Amino acid sequence: MGNETSKGGPELSPQTSSLDLSNQKLAAIPPNLRKLAVLVSLSLNHNLIQDVNGLQENKRLQEVDLSNNQLEALAESFFQLLDLVKLNISFNRLVELSPSVASLQQLTELNLANNKLTALPPTLAKLPRLNILNVSFNNLTTLPREIGGIISLTKLLLNNNQISDIIPEMGRLTNLVLLNLGDNNLQALPIEIGGLISLNKLYLDNNNLIEVRKEISRLTRLKELNLRSNQLVDLPSSLASLNTLAILDLDDNQWDAEAYRLAGADMGQFMAFLKAKKDAPIRRRAGTTKEYRRTQTRMQMKEVLERMQEANETNGGGSGSGGSGSGFLVVGAVQQLYHLKGSTRILVRRVDPTVASLNTGDVFVLDTGKKIYVWPGPKSNQRERLKGVHYARQMREEAGGGADVVLLDRDSRKQDRTDFFTRLEGTKNQIKDGGSDDAVAVGDHVMMTKMFQIREGEDGRLDMSFVLSVDLSKTMLDSSSCCVLDCGGDVWVWVGTFSSTTERSWAMLKAEELMSRSALRPKSAEILWVLDGVETLYFRENFTDWTDESWDPEVQKARAKAEEQARKEAEREAKMQKRGSSFFTPASPPSQPSSPSTSATEDLDSSVDTDDHADSYSTSREHIPAAAASAPVVGESRSPSLQERMRALEETNKTSAQGKGSYNVEAEIARERDRERELAKEREREKAKEKLRQRQAEKTDQAAERDRGEQARQVAEDKEDKEREARESREKERERAKEKEREKARQRAGQLSPTETERDTLTQSDGLSTKAADKLKEKEAAKQREQDKLKEKERLKEEKEKEKVRQKEAEKEKEREKERIKEEKARQEKDAASAKQREKEAQKDKEEKEKQDKL
């Protein structure tokens, strides 16, 4: 009982060590918790708790989850939990963190994300074992210098704050592996950034950086560098020394060289460009706002999606490419080994590129860039081999068609087989014999599958839902959110087209968490980004309704059979419609039952010849009821309703039962009902599709309107900047002209007044006294003072003019800000009105559907 986890109402045992009380609407700490003397792990997330007083009684607590509550502060008594190892207080309302946190000497993980913190206590530096510190999504403007003393830190998450400067002391965090500084106000990095020698991942996206320091080249273990959405124009050539760099995101900047935009997926080629280029002084350009840059990014993503759709239509609906093709990342070209296994459903998984990963019972595909090798194990089944060749060809098409597909079968060249094993680590004797059972492998895969959907609500709070151990469908993906998919190996972060920055950041954090939890992943496993609409072939293989089954002979036979059945059903439908229409064709009077002009009899005779029930059907005219004989001609005034056709068929059945033969039309009536239901369903589907198209068009129009507004504002700002520069230029010209005039005046004054030599000469020649000479000097000094006063007056006058210009600029800026606020408020009101309208339409559609279902 010591390890059981209780949740909700079950009676607690004094020996309970792990307790889950999440989503219980608790307003305070339950008082009976103090009875659990051996409680080690406690989860109280998603409640209404405002005070944690009382938890100090559980002295042995090591893990506490208080996320998604209403905490504004932590009671001082809480810090008496001296054995605490993991503490999660994210998604609360904390304004400050008590300095008493230093008493938690065993703490290794501290999550303070999504609060209202404006500063961190310097006493955090006294936590000697702290490994993970998450203070993302707060209101921090700076960091305490003491944070550089937490040398045990391996992960530091500071994204989505308002930090403008990085403290130099951060360079002392030599054990830091992950540093996230995205979505802040950084304009420069300190030189000490080069001291983070253990750093693997560095995120600097969505800031205002104008240059990247060359000291980053000292981070020799760096694998990921995100510089998206800054104001960079160039990179230092020293970055070419980062040999371990695998992912480099450079999108949405102001690059001078075209090579930055056309870097593509070849990391080696891009690094060669950096190495060969010459560094030049950074020329700062006119800044742009983050929102404007994000709007531009959304427009670029839409253009990419349109190009991909056009390419798919041109290639007959071929698979779209992702990765570098999307313009999203610059990814290093690394050879990859894929494992294909299964007897009915074929799984595709990436494994370590070693010989030890191979076995004789499955098929493996090795992508080296220029060649794609398909190695079928001697004991692999036919379906695995067909899928392997087909998958390799799809990979070639996704990469642009430049690679060669090499099948290593009995007829393959010896050199190709040698090249295949040469590219893998290990020797052939490491190949495993056979493989695990196919059905067991598929079951294990489904059991390990986890997909998390991250969505941001209108109130700014995040909602995370998930599905476990089920087959995935592409309908589970929503373009307004982000998803994280984990199948036991690689972890995918799927980014919806209309997802927010918050959703993307938290999706990345969730992926990082999943990667750090499992120790059974392949060494080559990594986090893979996938964009909505340009999903990669490897990603699509995880969804049962998204894989290409055109290689499967059984699927082709099933499709052919289905098409044949559909064709026969269409023919049978046409016959039934023809036969049903005969009941409503005007007939001759009953006195002429066998007249050749009786159209109803002719139609029935022609239908009976090809009908399955011809033997039991009597074509005698006397068996046609009066209701059918007197029905109007189809197309003359109106089409008969389902009720009329059914009544006619029922009367025909009764009349036929009393005559010579019998015609059983119950099946006909059932088919009529089924057809009517199908037509009604089809109409409903068409209505739903039309409404969906209208809503998508509205969303597109709203996004386009917002983009046009942003562009117009940006154009206005650029125009104002140019006007301001022109005014400053004119002021400088006037200043230079005035300076020239003053210089000319000084020259004229110098020509009129005698020089020192002339004064000495005059004094000596004319015998002027010393007193006269002193008077002359005083006169000249007074004249100089007058000139200085004139200059000071002119300077003060110019200062006043400049101050007036500045005041006018400030007033204009205030007016622009008011206008922007007004436009934003109008846009929000419009969006709210649209949302309400959509809700009304949805409610109306629901009511209509309920009425139709009742009918």
Side-chain angles (χ1 to χ4, degrees), residues 579-612:
R579 186 174 63 193
S581 65
S582 65
F583 290 113
F584 307 99
T585 308
S588 299
S591 61
Q592 299 175 355
S594 59
S595 174
S597 63
T598 305
S599 58
T601 305
E602 292 174 355
D603 291 341
L604 287 172
D605 289 339
S606 63
S607 300
V608 170
D609 291 339
T610 56
D611 189 65
D612 297 336

Side-chain angles (χ1 to χ4, degrees), residues 422-461:
T422 302
R423 292 179 178 274
L424 300 177
E425 296 180 8
T427 57
K428 291 184 179 181
N429 57 7
Q430 294 179 307
I431 300 177
K432 301 180 183 68
D433 185 22
S436 60
D437 182 75
D438 292 339
V440 174
V442 173
D444 291 343
H445 163 74
V446 174
M447 289 299 294
M448 289 193 305
T449 299
K450 299 183 289 289
M451 188 168 76
F452 301 84
Q453 186 177 55
I454 300 171
R455 187 189 304 274
E456 184 179 11
E458 295 181 357
D459 57 353
R461 297 176 72 88

Side-chain angles (χ1 to χ4, degrees), residues 41 57 215 230 241 253 334 343 474 519 534 682 710 738 809 821 849:
S41 177
E57 301 296 333
E215 284 76 15
N230 281 281
S241 62
N253 278 283
V334 181
S343 54
K474 62 181 179 181
V534 286
E682 184 64 28
E710 289 292 339
K738 290 179 180 179
E809 289 294 332
I821 294 172
K849 188 174 181 182

Side-chain angles (χ1 to χ4, degrees), residues 200-235:
N200 287 339
K201 299 178 182 181
L202 177 58
Y203 302 110
L204 298 168
D205 53 293
N206 289 291
N207 278 284
N208 295 314
L209 296 175
I210 60 174
E211 67 172 326
V212 175
R213 287 197 173 276
K214 61 182 180 180
E215 284 76 15
I216 288 185
S217 60
R218 294 163 54 188
L219 309 179
T220 56
R221 299 181 182 179
L222 199 62
K223 295 180 180 179
E224 294 184 25
L225 178 58
N226 191 343
L227 298 171
R228 167 182 285 268
S229 191
N230 281 281
Q231 301 189 44
L232 301 172
V233 297
D234 197 9
L235 289 179

Side-chain angles (χ1 to χ4, degrees), residues 501-686:
T501 305
T502 303
E503 291 167 342
R504 298 180 186 184
S505 298
W506 276 96
M508 188 62 188
L509 293 175
K510 185 62 180 178
E512 291 280 355
E513 177 188 350
L514 293 173
M515 285 292 291
S516 62
R517 281 185 178 179
S518 177
L520 301 178
R521 299 182 190 273
K523 295 180 181 178
S524 58
E526 58 185 348
I527 297 174
L528 303 175
W529 280 79
V530 184
L531 289 182
D532 182 8
V534 286
E535 290 82 2
T536 60
L537 172 65
Y538 182 31
F539 177 76
R540 296 197 302 270
E541 285 293 329
N542 296 289
F543 298 82
T544 55
D545 59 347
W546 215 344
T547 55
D548 185 3
E549 302 291 346
S550 60
W551 59 271
D552 191 347
E554 296 180 4
V555 173
Q556 293 176 359
K557 290 179 182 179
R559 287 177 180 173
K561 186 177 180 180
E563 291 175 358
E564 182 65 20
Q565 290 178 350
R567 185 184 62 79
K568 291 181 179 179
E569 184 65 26
E571 293 177 355
R572 189 179 298 109
E573 182 77 14
K575 292 176 184 178
M576 297 304 298
Q577 289 178 356
K578 183 178 180 181
R579 186 174 63 193
S581 65
S582 65
F583 290 113
F584 307 99
T585 308
S588 299
S591 61
Q592 299 175 355
S594 59
S595 174
S597 63
T598 305
S599 58
T601 305
E602 292 174 355
D603 291 341
L604 287 172
D605 289 339
S606 63
S607 300
V608 170
D609 291 339
T610 56
D611 189 65
D612 297 336
H613 304 282
D615 295 337
S616 61
Y617 193 97
S618 175
T619 60
S620 176
R621 180 69 181 88
E622 62 185 2
H623 296 158
I624 301 176
S630 62
V633 179
V634 175
E636 202 171 88
S637 60
R638 65 179 181 87
S639 298
S641 65
L642 174 64
Q643 289 79 7
E644 292 174 348
R645 295 201 299 271
M646 289 172 62
R647 283 197 298 270
L649 290 171
E650 289 172 355
E651 291 180 11
T652 301
N653 192 25
K654 293 177 182 178
T655 307
S656 299
Q658 299 172 359
K660 297 178 183 179
S662 62
Y663 175 49
N664 183 9
V665 293
E666 291 180 357
E668 182 71 20
I669 293 173
R671 282 192 289 270
E672 286 288 343
R673 287 173 175 166
D674 292 340
R675 280 196 295 273
E676 197 69 22
R677 290 194 195 100
E678 290 297 327
L679 290 174
K681 289 180 181 179
E682 184 64 28
R683 287 193 294 270
E684 288 297 326
R685 285 194 290 269
E686 289 297 328

Side-chain angles (χ1 to χ4, degrees), residues 114-127:
N114 280 85
N115 279 284
K116 299 180 180 180
L117 297 174
T118 57
L120 294 176
T123 54
L124 279 176
K126 297 181 180 180
L127 300 176

